[in-house]
Amino acid sequence: MAIRTIFLLLILLGCNMVYGRTPMQHKMLQENNRVRVAADQTEQMASSNLDTLSQEWAEWMAANESMTHSNHPYPEIIFAGPDSVKAAFNGWQASGTHYGIILSGNTHAGFGMAIGNSGTKYWIGMYGNK
C-alpha cells in the first residue's frame, strides 16, 4: 500500500520532481517547448544532468555577476537581466544563434536561473541528447 501511495504522489507531482527539478526549470522547459512547437519542432524532454549543470552555472554567473559561457560540451544559451522566463525567451528568439540552439535537433534540455547580489537574474539553457 505504501509503495502505491508513493507512486501516486510521484504521478501527481510530475516525474520531473523526482530528481529535484525546480518550478522555474519546469516553467523554462514549458516555454522552450512552446517556442519549439510554434516553429513546428518536437518538444524536448527534461534532463536531470542538464538541469543540474545549468543551475550550477547560473549560480556561478550570479555569484560572480558575470554573464559568461561555461566550458561544458553542450550548446547553451545565456542571458542576464530579464525579469521573467517569457522575457528571456523573447530575447533568445531575437538572436539568430540562440534561436537556432533552441530549435536544434537535440532531444533534451536543462535550465537554470539565479539572482546576483545586484538583483540581476542570470538565465541559462543547455541542450543535448540525454
Side-chain angles (χ1 to χ4, degrees):
M1 185 67 168
I3 292 174
R4 183 177 178 194
T5 302
I6 291 170
F7 181 73
L8 290 174
L9 283 173
L10 291 175
I11 291 172
L12 290 173
L13 291 174
C15 293
N16 292 332
M17 295 302 290
V18 172
Y19 66 82
R21 177 159 244 261
T22 69
M24 181 62 71
Q25 288 169 320
H26 180 72
K27 189 171 183 178
M28 291 178 77
L29 182 65
Q30 284 181 318
E31 183 62 17
N32 179 79
N33 284 334
R34 186 198 64 75
V35 169
R36 288 179 59 83
V37 168
D40 293 325
Q41 300 296 314
T42 59
E43 292 186 357
Q44 291 168 320
M45 294 177 282
S47 165
S48 61
N49 180 51
L50 295 174
D51 274 341
T52 298
L53 294 174
S54 293
Q55 187 58 42
E56 288 173 355
W57 194 252
E59 290 170 11
W60 183 93
M61 289 191 295
N64 291 281
E65 297 284 350
S66 175
M67 188 177 82
T68 306
H69 284 283
S70 74
N71 290 322
H72 295 299
Y74 303 104
E76 68 182 26
I77 52 178
I78 60 174
F79 209 159
D83 284 332
S84 69
V85 171
K86 181 75 170 165
F89 274 90
N90 284 344
W92 286 323
Q93 284 180 267
S95 164
T97 301
H98 293 95
Y99 188 52
I101 292 171
I102 293 170
L103 299 182
S104 70
N106 291 299
T107 58
H108 288 73
F111 299 95
M113 189 279 291
I115 303 172
N117 287 333
S118 67
T120 300
K121 291 183 178 181
Y122 292 86
W123 305 87
I124 182 169
M126 287 188 189
Y127 298 83
N129 292 313
K130 60 176 183 163

